[in-house]
Amino acid sequence: MQPSLKGQSLRWCFFSPGRRALDVLGGDSRTSGGAEAQVAYLAAAMAGLGHKVSLIYGDGSQHCPPTELASVTCIDAAPRWRKPASIAAFWRALKGASPDVIYARLPSDFLVLQGLLGRFDGRARFIYALAHDDHCRPWHAYSYKRWLHAPLYALGLQSAVAILAQHEGQRARLARRLQGRTICVPNLVRSFAPAPRDFESTSIDAIWVAQIRPEKRLESFLDLATSAPDLSCSVVGGFDPTLPAACRVELEQRMLSLSNVTYWGPQPADVVMSLLARSKVLVNTSSGEGFPNSMLEAWSLGVPVVSLAVDPGGIITQQGIGLLSGSDVELCNDVRLLTQRAALNDQIGVRALAYVKGRHSLEAVCAALSPAIFAPPLQPASIALNSPEKPSHDAGKPSQRSRPSRHRCCRTPPCPEGGRSPHRAAFARRQRETALHVPCPL
């Protein structure tokens, strides 16, 4: 049985470049993405459980003094290539945090430094959490300067002791050499309604919640609103800074031209939850995701989801907590179905609320995360085949790196099968010793 994160006292260091995770910790979630929000949620939750938690953020300027938000020590020390001195300062900040656990959730050129600290320190475990399905393959994680960023990100993935997937589909997308150290850990939902919201009290038929950028395909939701002028539709979210100005103007003009569409812009979390509680369905039109926070927030209120293309890990269809449309025509039909049939909407809402309470609570997240923190490394013989290992009786104890066996006659490491040199054998052994395989709890 794995030790629990409750009752433990660990030192956590979260890494989230930029300021978005910091803003969420401070209560402003209007501009944050799902990955930054999850970093902030988990950091605050670990601090609430009594752990010592720090967050390294920033853009390389490193001019802000350390501050504390939600019992998390926030350090402006994230590095940037254009400021080489910031890399050394980041290393010092990382070492100064003296972490037991290093946690990152977005691709970065500097993940490998966090993995290296774990190896040099001998105590820290570097854990990387996948935020998007495209992040499973380094070449797909970037749309610019892939020749530089993709190899560095790949090294970062390789240096992680454990990789956290949001659903089983992400594990399958990873390279086979990484799947053995991957476990499934659900996203954290901070609160749940005591009962599903009342269908009859809703005033919004369909709501769309996301940062507005090309992948989110807001135009598909506006097509829905155009084809169904009798439906009351709402759009919540700000325009991503990377969105071309022409696209922004076009979308703004189109929303203004539709009398049945209300654009709320970016809103804080409490307002978003209030709008969701007034809605019959949440509509997702993205072409790709990880596991959208907006879906989890809707389900935490008992609001069904209608998704055009995204079904994270097959959860929507398997759990019966929404509808997967697959085409624009079916999207319109599905939204009409759930806005007109109150009994069906309520049934799905009850299942949705039960699902998130059982799978995405803090207790469930801690139980799924514990193996990545406490489980010892696999024995070398079983890792090459990515085969499951029997649970160890020393599961709660810190792992110790064993010294390689030596020939009595020459005092050098034995040459492994195939005639590899001792140096290559030692490197392979170190790779195996830091691997982790835990069966997916889903």
Side-chain angles (χ1 to χ4, degrees), residues 155-168:
L155 285 173
L157 285 177
Q158 185 65 34
S159 70
V161 172
I163 298 173
L164 310 184
Q166 295 171 298
H167 54 78
E168 183 61 37

Side-chain angles (χ1 to χ4, degrees), residues 142-167:
Y142 291 91
S143 58
Y144 59 94
K145 293 186 178 179
R146 288 175 173 168
W147 56 270
L148 169 66
H149 301 302
L152 290 172
Y153 175 46
L155 285 173
L157 285 177
Q158 185 65 34
S159 70
V161 172
I163 298 173
L164 310 184
Q166 295 171 298
H167 54 78

Side-chain angles (χ1 to χ4, degrees), residues 25 82 123 213 269 288:
L25 279 174
R82 292 183 180 180
R123 180 184 67 178
R213 56 180 185 267

